[in-house]
Every structure is written in C-alpha cells, then in structure tokens.
Amino acid sequence: NAGVTQTPKFRVLKTGQSMTLLCAQDMNHEYMYWYRQDPGMGLRLIHYSVGEGTTAKGEVPDGYNVSRLKKQNFLLGLESAAPSQTSVYFCASMSGNYEQYFGPGTRLTVT
Amino acid sequence: SQQGEEDPQALSIQEGENATMNCSYKTSINNLQWYRQNSGRGLVHLILIRSNEREKHSGRLRVTLDTSKKSSSLLITASRAADTASYFCATAPPAASKLTFGTGTRLQVTL
C-alpha cells in the first residue's frame, strides 16, 4: 500500500496563477482532509470530505476550492494564488477508528 | 482558532530521560489524539484516547486525559535521539468527523 500520496512535492507560483494539488489514498477511507501548516503553527483545516461527491469547509477555506469526484482522490485548487497562500499543504485520510493518515506534503511558494 | 494548546513549546532533554508534554483544549471532545512530525515530513499517528478513558499506554508512550480540566499529557519514557520531532495534540468534536490541531511541542533529545 502506498498510503496517502500527494502531487506535486514542490511548486512555485506567481501571484494570480492557478494550480491544483492532487491527493490520492489507497486505503478505501471515506474521509479526506486538506490542511495547511505555517511556521510555528499547527495544522489548520482548509476543506474536508466525508465521502465521494461531498465537500465541506474547514477553518480557513477562503481562496481554495476542492473536489472529490472519486473516493480515492481529493483535489485542492487555488484559482488565483496569493503570497499569503505560501505554506506546506498536507492531505490526510481517516480510518474507521478515527486515526488520520497523512501524505508527505506539498511545499508551495507564491511570489 | 486552535482548539489545543501544547505546553511547553519546546523541550530539550538528554537521551534516557522522560519527556512530558501537555495539551489543553476548550470544548467537548469525542477523542484526543497525539501525532508526531519529523522535520519536513507528514504527521504520524501515535495514540488515541477516547473521552471516557483516563489513561492509555502504547510502548514507551503514556497518555492521560482529564476531561474535567480539559487537558491531556503525553509521556515518552526513556527518550531516544530518534524521538526528536514535533508532537501535536488533536481533538475530535463529538461528531468526530474532523480534528483540530494544537501548535505543537518541539522535542530535542540529545546524546
């Protein structure tokens, strides 16, 4: 099992550009999450999904959109990147016993 | 806003010593979890304690939960250099559909 994978690992964007981060899990988990982590802070929830075709807002959803067209994939989109979105982004999925499994992260820099 | 607040923010000990980290939270929970993050990596689940449990052990880890004080502690016994990492507590609300992470404790274990 690969667990949770994220693509890409690194990306540099210019202000106003768009991009999509892809998260994939092979554990058949219903719940999936997107977090951002900034220096000195814990993880903050951006959006999450409780199953295929569903999405919900987390703590910091502004400037991001998500889609869960397939159970194994959860996409995070930035339509018009801003320097404030420079961060490390983590995807996670949750098992039936409430444990979350994390991907390796995507380091995004917006200049 | 962060649900969990860890204390201390940073901790430096020598190999073989015990490390204790504390977490306080604000609202009712279904469970509380501890995660470890090595530098530049994704988070790894360590242990989960449910709201009706008071203490739980896993290997060298001991977690306590006091719901009346809304606090938890993580004890790592006989620390090793490999335990050097950041440790985060995370709380799940009664519906348990998502986690809110604290700001973390950076643990440094020196030889």
Side-chain angles (χ1 to χ4, degrees), chain A residues 2-38:
Chain A
V4 179
T5 58
Q6 293 184 230
T7 309
K9 289 185 169 51
F10 303 93
R11 186 73 186 269
V12 178
L13 290 179
K14 295 186 187 304
T15 297
Q17 288 185 319
S18 63
M19 78 164 293
T20 300
L21 283 69
L22 171 63
C23 176
Q25 54 98 1
D26 60 1
M27 296 172 283
N28 202 34
H29 291 164
E30 291 291 341
Y31 289 58
M32 295 187 73
Y33 306 85
W34 276 107
Y35 297 91
R36 61 177 288 173
Q37 184 177 34
D38 300 297

Side-chain angles (χ1 to χ4, degrees), chain A residues 22-25 32 67-75:
Chain A
L22 171 63
C23 176
Q25 54 98 1
M32 295 187 73
S67 64
R68 184 97 181 268
L69 299 180
K70 293 183 178 180
K71 187 177 183 178
Q72 63 267 36
N73 296 336
F74 195 28
L75 278 63

